[in-house]
Amino acid sequence: QIMFRSLVVLLIATASASNRMPKLIAGNWKMNPIDLKTAVKLAFDVSQLTKSVDTKVAEIAVIPPYPFLRDVAKTLESSPHVKLGAQTSFYEVKGAFTGAVAASMLSSCSVDYVLVGHSERRSLFSEGDLEVGRSLKRILLEGMTPILCVGESKEEYELGLCTEVCTVQLCNALRGLSPKEVSKVVVAYEPVWAIGTGLSATPAIAQAVHASIRGWVRRVHGDSIADNMRIQYGGSVTPETVDEMMRCPDVDGALVGGASLTAASFARIAGFKQ
């Protein structure tokens, strides 16, 4: 009976996955590369090497540091299949907030996606759930798509608290949003212990966590939003691991770190084999 129920759940998940939007493959460049010239070349090379990617299967985005946004956007003007993202934004509209960047500024620079709540922002810059939620709302108000990052630390993973940690982060970030607003959010599950370490959650682990995230969304926001929400996996995604990961029915793309800094590697990930 247990095996039968598991099979039914998997079949349902697979069926709903076939109706979702293209998988989102986004390259988070973090604080790289070292100069504008290299950034522009990387963006150009990505645009050329991903021309053959079926846009019905995968949507592609690059997420460079702030100083490179305008030049990268200009480089991508003739390559509409590659979208532009930003790595974070502040929730205030304007004011005396030295070093902060408002969502409206990003929108005016042709940005499509904005990361919010990335683990490095949480740990290194002390961004809490309150700030993450406020930033996410402002991103939506400015007409861009937030990529909400959730995930557990190594200690939390070893204690079996993955589901609880992700649920709390989701609940706090999405609190107060309308169903229409929630439907526009992309979620990225990033096990913190796998970021930049060379470690990676197995496809089975990723699928289980993604299914639990979708299950929470289903319980709180309903079937339609849950079935259509894109949930990316982010944690040392490589050309060698992407194919099997993308076959998981609840994995709707990848948030790629180090491998996105090499155009050929990122293009291979974007052109994953189903």
Side-chain angles (χ1 to χ4, degrees):
Q1 277 189 327
I2 294 175
M3 290 181 63
F4 177 74
R5 284 197 297 270
S6 298
L7 179 59
V8 170
V9 170
L10 180 60
L11 289 173
I12 292 173
T14 303
S16 64
S18 65
N19 295 323
R20 286 197 286 273
M21 297 172 65
K23 295 182 187 291
L24 176 59
I25 308 296
N28 178 17
W29 294 1
K30 306 190 180 186
M31 202 171 74
N32 298 290
I34 59 172
D35 56 40
L36 177 60
K37 181 179 179 181
T38 308
V40 168
K41 184 178 187 306
L42 176 57
F44 177 77
D45 289 346
V46 166
S47 70
Q48 297 305 299
L49 293 175
T50 57
K51 280 184 175 180
S52 62
V53 173
D54 187 348
T55 55
K56 294 180 181 179
V57 175
E59 182 179 358
I60 301 166
V62 294
I63 310 177
Y66 289 140
F68 305 150
L69 282 174
R70 286 298 292 156
D71 290 270
V72 169
K74 185 175 182 180
T75 302
L76 298 176
E77 282 180 347
S78 59
S79 303
H81 68 286
V82 182
K83 307 299 183 183
L84 183 65
Q87 295 180 16
T88 189
S89 70
F90 192 48
Y91 50 78
E92 295 289 357
V93 176
K94 62 179 181 178
F97 304 104
T98 301
V101 174
S104 60
M105 298 174 182
L106 299 176
S107 178
S108 71
C109 292
S110 304
V111 167
D112 301 292
Y113 292 96
V114 185
L115 296 180
V116 58
H118 191 281
S119 62
E120 289 157 3
R121 298 297 307 178
R122 295 179 189 262
S123 63
L124 298 177
F125 299 94
S126 302
E127 290 185 4
D129 286 344
L130 177 61
E131 291 85 358
V132 169
R134 293 178 70 180
S135 295
L136 187 147
K137 292 177 179 65
R138 180 59 60 185
I139 292 164
L140 287 169
L141 286 172
E142 294 298 336
M144 297 175 291
T145 299
I147 299 177
L148 169 62
C149 300
V150 300
E152 78 286 357
S153 67
K154 189 172 188 292
E155 293 76 15
E156 290 164 338
Y157 173 73
E158 291 174 344
L159 290 170
L161 297 175
C162 173
T163 299
E164 289 79 1
V165 171
C166 291
T167 297
V168 169
Q169 292 173 344
L170 284 167
C171 186
N172 288 333
L174 302 180
R175 180 181 289 117
L177 296 186
S178 69
K180 183 177 181 181
E181 289 173 323
V182 174
S183 70
K184 296 178 180 179
V185 175
V186 173
V187 174
Y189 167 60
E190 45 161 16
V192 179
W193 48 270
I195 298 175
T197 63
L199 301 174
S200 180
T202 65
I205 292 173
Q207 168 57 28
V209 177
H210 282 228
S212 72
I213 290 172
R214 199 178 305 281
W216 179 87
V217 175
R218 189 180 308 281
R219 290 191 299 274
V220 177
H221 299 287
D223 290 340
S224 178
I225 291 176
D227 288 339
N228 289 286
M229 177 172 279
R230 289 193 286 185
I231 306 173
Q232 297 176 293
Y233 172 75
S236 297
V237 180
T238 68
E240 292 75 30
T241 62
V242 67
D243 294 340
E244 189 175 1
M245 190 68 73
M246 292 304 106
R247 294 187 187 114
C248 297
D250 283 297
V251 176
D252 305 311
L255 183 58
V256 187
S260 70
L261 300 176
T262 303
S265 294
F266 185 64
R268 170 62 183 85
I269 291 171
F272 60 88
K273 295 178 173 60
Q274 292 183 301

